[in-house]
């Protein structure tokens, strides 16, 4: 159902507007004090596009796996209050961290939300990074040791609760994972310009306009596994399905079948691969496309469908030669090695990676479409750290939704797709009446009610 060809580059958006100099994390100034008093002002918020990824700066090196900060920061030019908390979403594969920092060397107010991620298997590195944030809080703000608050969500918020609390010695609040996902997504949809977009090979990145009438919708959150959540309102949501075949599946199987050591390395191999070397395509069966039912010659008829026969042929050749002459008889090869033995039992790691990425993404896309039809949901948003702005992944999911809906539905993506839960947890630490629309949650509820009652004014502009 998916074309075997696609653009393999990573997504990078065009700059939105010129911004001030980049925050040096060593100058986090008055950012973590007075817990519970913060009022996040999101008026004029925008994504910082014209600066490199944030360095760790004077926060220092963190032992263990290096934190990754390739996601663009969100500038809050009108926020003036100090922020007393950080938020972390700990999943089965990744821990995502969100924290606020001031703009250095500027007389103007404002700051930004910073986004970091760590591999969950090395949760100690994440905790050490949070300790460094805490130490800067004490050093720069003179606040008491217990002033910092950690908002935690995801399964790891429970699994590592004692570990985090003991290491930091501060209050750790555990928030419901599904609720945080919805709060985070609602915030991105309604408050952040150039956040939500559609994707296709012909039209790579088209931003969707911010909207207030967002319900109902389907959130497909792809992490280690996949959850599909029907959202009818800001406080009305339910998990309606999912699948165990998600990012963890791709990571696990490719760890067994290739020499890749990280998820990003696997995506890189998929970029360079040719799935037609292992997948059986419609063209392999018909010699051409099957236009009568809308199938191109490059449409995948069977994932890994060529492997069995090619392996049998290779074994027969080996027997005729009096033994296996290609190493270990069917071992996975790199592209350079496998080019010499194409058509034997050797398969390139790159080709396997691309085929499996397509198989898992196609499966998720079709299930998402079926759930949207069953529950009459017109809009489908894809989130989670599986996507990572990877063009092949987004193109496959988009193609699946378009194909099965006959072009009636589109897939929506987010530039901060892996941080929905962390941002939702961050926003949970809010008093009443904050932001340009007062409270995000209260405004959402008001809009939701106004949809059914013409006498209710659902929008409150600050």
């Amino acid at each position: 159902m998916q074309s075997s060809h696609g653009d393999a580059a990573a997504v990078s958006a065009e700059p939105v507007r010129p911004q001030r100099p980049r925050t040096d994390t060593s100058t986090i100034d008055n950012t973590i004090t007075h817990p519970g008093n913060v009022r996040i002002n999101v008026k004029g918020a925008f994504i910082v596009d014209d600066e490199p990824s944030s360095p760790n700066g004077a926060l220092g090196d963190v032992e263990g796996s290096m934190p990754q900060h390739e996601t663009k920061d969100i500038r809050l030019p009108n926020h003036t209050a100090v922020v007393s908390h950080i938020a972390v979403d700990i999943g089965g594969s990744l821990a995502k961290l969100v924290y606020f920092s001031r703009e250095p060397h500027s007389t103007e107010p404002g700051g930004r939300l910073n986004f970091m991620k760590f591999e969950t298997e090395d949760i100690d590195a994440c905790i050490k990074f949070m300790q460094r944030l805490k130490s800067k809080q004490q050093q720069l703000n003179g606040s008491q040791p217990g002033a910092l608050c950690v908002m935690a969500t995801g399964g790891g918020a429970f699994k590592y609760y004692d570990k985090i609390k003991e290491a930091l010695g501060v209050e750790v609040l555990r928030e419901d994972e599904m609720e945080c996902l919805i709060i985070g997504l609602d915030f991105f949809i309604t408050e952040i310009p150039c956040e939500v977009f559609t994707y296709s090979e012909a039209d790579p990145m088209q931003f969707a306009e911010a909207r207030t009438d967002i319900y109902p919708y389907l959130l497909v959150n792809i992490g280690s596994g996949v959850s599909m959540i029907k959202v009818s309102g800001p406080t009305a949501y339910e998990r309606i399905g999912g699948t165990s075949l998600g990012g963890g599946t791709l990571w696990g199987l490719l760890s067994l079948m290739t020499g890749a050591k990280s998820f990003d390395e696997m995506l890189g191999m998929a970029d360079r691969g040719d799935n037609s070397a292992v997948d059986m395509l419609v063209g392999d069966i018909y010699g051409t496309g099957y236009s009568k039912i809308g199938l191109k010659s490059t449409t995948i008829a069977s994932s890994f469908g060529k492997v069995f026969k090619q392996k049998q042929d290779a074994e027969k050749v080996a027997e005729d030669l009096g033994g296996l002459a290609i190493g270990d008889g069917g071992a996975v090869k790199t592209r350079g090695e496998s080019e010499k033995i194409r058509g034997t039992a050797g398969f390139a790691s790159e080709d396997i990676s691309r085929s499996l990425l397509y198989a898992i993404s196609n499966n998720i896309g079709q299930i998402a479409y079926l759930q949207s039809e069953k529950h009459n949901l017109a809009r489908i948003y894809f989130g989670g750290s599986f996507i990572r702005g990877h063009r092949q992944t987004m193109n496959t999911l988009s193609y699946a939704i378009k194909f099965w809906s006959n072009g009636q539905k589109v897939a929506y993506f987010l530039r901060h797709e892996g941080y929905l839960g962390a941002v939702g947890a961050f926003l949970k630490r809010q008093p009443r009446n904050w932001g340009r629309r007062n409270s995000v949650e209260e405004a959402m509820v008001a809009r939701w009610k106004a949809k059914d009652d013409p006498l209710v004014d659902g929008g409150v502009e600050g």
Side-chain angles (χ1 to χ4, degrees):
M1 195 268 310
Q2 165 66 32
S3 172
S4 64
H5 302 286
D7 193 341
V11 165
S12 60
E14 293 298 323
V16 177
R17 69 180 83 171
Q19 310 305 340
R20 283 185 282 273
R22 180 75 186 93
T23 297
D24 178 353
T25 51
S26 67
T27 60
I28 300 177
D29 182 19
N30 293 323
T31 59
I32 315 175
T33 55
H34 308 113
N37 293 334
V38 63
R39 302 172 190 269
I40 303 294
N41 187 337
V42 297
K43 182 177 181 180
F46 58 87
I47 298 173
V48 181
D49 274 315
D50 62 344
E51 297 173 356
S53 300
S54 301
N56 293 332
L59 285 175
D61 295 332
V62 180
E63 296 180 5
S65 63
M66 287 301 296
Q68 302 174 45
H69 192 158
E70 76 286 353
T71 302
K72 297 295 186 180
D73 295 343
I74 293 179
R75 182 79 165 89
L76 303 173
N78 293 291
H79 181 74
T80 57
V82 294
V83 178
S84 62
H85 62 284
I86 58 179
V88 61
D89 176 11
I90 309 175
S93 301
L94 294 172
K96 289 78 65 178
L97 179 70
V98 174
Y99 66 95
F100 179 84
S101 66
R102 287 286 174 205
E103 292 296 310
H105 317 302
S106 174
T107 59
E108 298 182 20
R112 66 179 65 205
L113 293 181
N114 301 267
F115 302 87
M116 306 290 290
K117 66 181 177 184
F118 304 77
E119 291 187 8
T120 303
E121 66 178 15
D122 195 7
I123 192 65
D124 289 340
C126 180
I127 293 175
K128 287 177 181 177
F129 190 85
M130 289 192 285
Q131 287 176 321
R132 293 185 187 276
L133 289 175
K134 178 187 175 183
S135 70
K136 291 302 176 182
Q137 166 208 18
Q138 295 172 330
Q139 175 185 338
L140 299 178
N141 300 318
S143 58
Q144 296 300 313
L148 177 67
C149 176
V150 177
M151 307 295 291
T153 188
F158 296 87
K159 183 176 181 178
Y160 299 109
Y161 173 80
D162 292 334
K163 189 179 186 72
I164 296 172
K165 191 172 179 63
E166 179 180 352
L168 296 179
V170 299
E171 183 180 19
V172 179
L173 300 181
R174 291 172 289 189
E175 300 295 338
D176 179 75
E177 182 176 4
M178 295 298 172
E179 182 180 7
C180 289
L181 285 172
I182 302 311
I183 292 174
L185 179 54
D186 284 357
F187 171 75
F188 282 124
I189 294 174
T190 60
E191 299 287 354
I192 306 301
C194 299
E195 172 69 37
V196 180
F197 64 94
T198 59
Y199 183 88
S200 69
E201 286 182 328
D203 209 358
M205 197 173 188
Q206 290 296 310
F207 290 114
E209 293 184 7
R211 54 187 305 157
T212 56
D213 180 21
I214 65 176
Y215 307 113
Y217 64 78
L218 175 67
L219 168 60
V220 182
N221 195 59
I222 314 174
S224 297
V226 183
S227 285
M228 299 185 184
I229 308 167
K230 175 185 177 181
V231 183
S232 303
T235 58
Y237 54 87
E238 61 175 321
R239 186 181 187 276
I240 57 177
T243 173
S244 61
L245 304 181
T249 309
L250 183 72
W251 198 335
L253 289 177
L254 290 184
S255 295
L256 291 174
M257 296 189 291
T258 74
K261 303 299 183 183
S262 70
F263 194 71
D264 289 323
E265 184 180 354
M266 294 170 188
L267 294 180
M269 289 196 304
D271 286 345
R272 302 187 299 273
D274 177 8
N275 69 297
S276 66
V278 293
D279 290 343
M280 184 178 293
L281 310 181
V282 170
D284 295 321
I285 301 172
Y286 287 90
T288 184
Y290 193 170
S291 58
K292 186 175 182 179
I293 58 174
L295 299 179
K296 302 176 183 177
S297 63
T298 53
T299 298
I300 298 171
S302 175
S303 296
F304 290 88
K306 291 179 181 175
V307 173
F308 181 72
K309 187 175 186 306
Q310 287 188 16
K311 197 167 188 299
Q312 278 191 322
D313 292 344
E315 290 171 351
K316 185 177 185 303
V317 170
E319 289 175 2
D320 292 342
L321 294 175
L324 293 177
I326 56 170
D328 57 359
V332 172
K333 309 294 183 182
T334 65
R335 170 158 291 282
E337 295 170 327
S338 59
E339 285 296 343
K340 301 176 183 178
I341 55 174
R342 181 69 69 192
T344 70
F347 299 96
S349 297
E350 294 86 346
D351 300 342
I352 290 173
S353 299
R354 194 173 188 119
S355 174
L356 190 59
L357 176 68
Y358 280 161
I360 291 175
S361 299
N362 274 323
N363 182 63
I364 294 171
Q366 184 172 12
I367 296 174
Y369 162 73
L370 293 174
Q371 291 287 7
S372 72
E373 285 293 289
K374 178 180 178 181
H375 295 276
N376 194 29
L377 302 171
R379 288 186 287 275
I380 306 173
Y381 294 91
F382 287 90
S385 296
F386 171 76
I387 300 172
R388 303 197 185 195
H390 189 247
R391 292 194 174 190
Q392 288 180 354
T393 304
M394 293 188 297
N395 189 62
T396 305
L397 293 169
S398 293
Y399 187 92
I401 298 301
K402 182 178 179 180
F403 180 89
W404 294 112
S405 69
N406 292 318
Q408 297 303 304
K409 296 182 179 181
V410 298
Y412 290 100
F413 302 96
L414 297 101
R415 295 175 64 186
H416 295 85
E417 75 278 289
Y419 292 89
L420 304 186
V423 169
F426 186 88
L427 295 176
K428 286 281 288 181
R429 187 74 170 182
Q430 302 294 346
R432 296 171 61 86
N433 302 322
W434 71 275
R436 67 168 174 252
R437 295 188 181 92
N438 294 334
S439 164
V440 164
E441 184 173 347
E442 290 177 4
M444 290 292 182
V445 172
R447 296 188 194 113
W448 185 38
K449 291 180 178 179
K451 179 178 65 174
D452 299 318
D453 185 352
L455 298 180
V456 176
D457 181 8
V460 185
E461 295 293 337

